[in-house]
Amino acid sequence: MPELPEVEVTKQGIAPIIEGKSISDVVIYDGRLRWPVPINLKNILCDQKVRLLRRRGKYILFEFDHGTMIIHLGMTGVLRIQEKTEPARKHDRVEFHFGKKVLRLHDPRKFGSIHWHPLSETPVDEIPMLKRLGVEPFGPAFEGALGAELLFKKSRSRTVSVKEFLLAGQCVVGVGNIYCSESLFTAGINPKTPAGKVSFKRYELLAESIRVTLEKAIEAGGSSLKDFVNSQGEPGHFMVQTKVYDRTGEPCHQCQSLIKQIKQGQRSTFYCSNCQK
DNA sequence: AGCTCAACCTGGCTGC
DNA sequence: TGCAGCCAGGTTGAGC
């Protein structure tokens, strides 16, 4: 479920509730996520104050005085603030108590993860997991012409399709499978084009499309594909307006041609073969 | 370094 | 109704 907009909406939803608050308890219902949840998480976090919440790519960073907890939502993870009196549900994996409130990680497929990085000589942004990430789409390094320059330079001599190149996130983070198809449609680029063959002019269009697509999705409260709900349990509304994603066989809004679906790198891609050349 | 593909796991939908 | 098979928002790690 979560691509950058959903993660950002989640972060914005829970930050005001927990920033500056101390964790009173940690309960692990099932720690077998993408990687095992640290078994001593309760000892690490109890009575510690969440100083700041921030996002890096699709990771949410919880900063404490003595280290950083890094949560990834995987494919189906949801972080939600609830009253402690509300009973935990099936697939609730871990919960963090803040007095009467509780922050729950609900994740049916268990592709999410929780890491702990103690304060050390290595800044958290320098650990391998975060260091290999591309730049932030709303950060200074992707602003204006810089975004296109980055995409263009990093793609020279690359033979993979522009869809897979973008989705890999080594250039710019946060463009998952939905917004990747959407951005390429808006930029009028055929997803099968080798990344190294895309012109600078077209990367200018793509960089702008990425920024606009993600921004609109955040404003709309995140995608509502299947089961996305924000931190208050409300669904997003982006899916009602996707241009190509999940619209196989339906008419293109621009030219009425039927939207096609193909597989690229084990993932589905949706596009209009008439509008995207 | 870049590429391709399998793997992690559960639930929902389709088709027989 | 039951069941097999396929699909799904992400990312790592192995093998070439």
Side-chain angles (χ1 to χ4, degrees):
Chain A
M1 154 240 334
E3 297 190 25
L4 185 143
E6 292 75 24
V7 177
E8 178 63 24
V9 167
T10 297
K11 194 219 83 177
Q12 287 176 9
I14 63 181
I17 318 278
I18 67 169
E19 272 177 353
K21 302 278 181 13
S22 287
I23 293 184
S24 45
D25 198 8
V26 176
V27 180
I28 300 176
Y29 294 107
D30 188 346
R32 295 170 300 171
L33 302 188
R34 185 77 169 81
W35 293 283
V37 174
I39 46 173
N40 55 342
L41 198 60
K42 177 172 174 165
N43 291 336
I44 293 170
L45 298 179
C46 260
D47 299 321
Q48 297 290 334
K49 192 179 286 184
V50 178
R51 292 293 176 192
L52 179 75
L53 224 61
R54 63 188 179 94
R55 181 188 57 72
R56 175 73 181 98
K58 297 169 193 165
Y59 295 90
I60 301 178
L61 279 56
F62 296 67
E63 298 195 341
F64 297 84
D65 286 332
H66 64 318
T68 306
M69 176 170 70
I70 306 158
I71 294 188
H72 196 287
L73 300 177
M75 296 271 251
T76 52
V78 175
L79 274 176
R80 226 177 321 191
I81 298 281
Q82 296 179 315
E83 298 298 320
K84 210 194 309 188
T85 51
E86 200 164 329
R89 294 178 300 159
K90 187 180 181 182
H91 302 140
D92 281 349
R93 307 302 182 189
V94 180
E95 65 183 34
F96 307 90
H97 294 213
F98 294 86
K100 289 181 178 174
K101 301 274 187 191
V102 58
L103 177 67
R104 291 197 166 114
L105 173 62
H106 180 86
D107 184 12
R109 283 178 76 180
K110 302 204 271 193
F111 283 2
S113 63
I114 299 181
H115 288 271
W116 172 250
H117 177 70
L119 194 66
S120 66
E121 58 282 356
T122 311
V124 66
D125 291 276
E126 296 298 315
I127 65 175
M129 191 172 65
L130 301 182
K131 195 178 182 181
R132 84 172 128 244
L133 298 179
V135 304
E136 288 291 327
F138 301 123
F142 202 71
E143 217 169 334
L146 291 178
E149 284 167 19
L150 184 69
L151 290 169
F152 184 75
K153 278 182 192 160
K154 284 217 174 192
S155 63
R156 291 312 89 182
S157 82
R158 296 293 303 271
T159 60
V160 279
S161 68
V162 61
K163 155 75 186 317
E164 290 168 276
F165 170 70
L166 192 56
L167 190 58
Q170 291 167 326
C171 224
V172 56
V173 291
V175 189
N177 208 37
I178 298 176
Y179 302 119
C180 196
S181 281
E182 294 295 295
S183 301
L184 286 166
F185 173 81
T186 304
I189 300 170
N190 187 309
K192 291 188 279 192
T193 313
K197 293 271 173 70
V198 176
S199 69
F200 181 75
K201 202 94 193 133
R202 311 195 95 197
Y203 272 127
E204 284 186 307
L205 291 171
L206 183 57
E208 181 62 12
S209 300
I210 291 168
R211 286 186 292 250
V212 171
T213 302
L214 296 180
E215 202 170 344
K216 278 188 184 169
I218 291 171
E219 282 170 17
S223 143
S224 67
L225 212 198
K226 302 266 162 53
D227 51 3
F228 179 70
V229 286
N230 64 20
S231 57
Q232 324 297 325
E234 301 152 344
H237 301 290
F238 182 79
M239 271 312 281
V240 297
Q241 47 183 320
T242 59
K243 299 184 175 104
V244 288
Y245 186 84
D246 207 23
R247 295 196 63 239
T248 314
E250 293 176 39
C252 169
H253 294 317
Q254 284 181 21
C255 76
Q256 313 306 316
S257 301
L258 302 187
I259 302 299
K260 292 184 175 171
Q261 175 175 1
I262 57 173
K263 277 274 190 233
Q264 292 184 291
Q266 316 177 104
R267 311 291 300 278
S268 286
T269 301
F270 303 84
Y271 72 109
C272 171
S273 58
N274 186 47
C275 295
Q276 298 172 256
K277 299 288 189 187

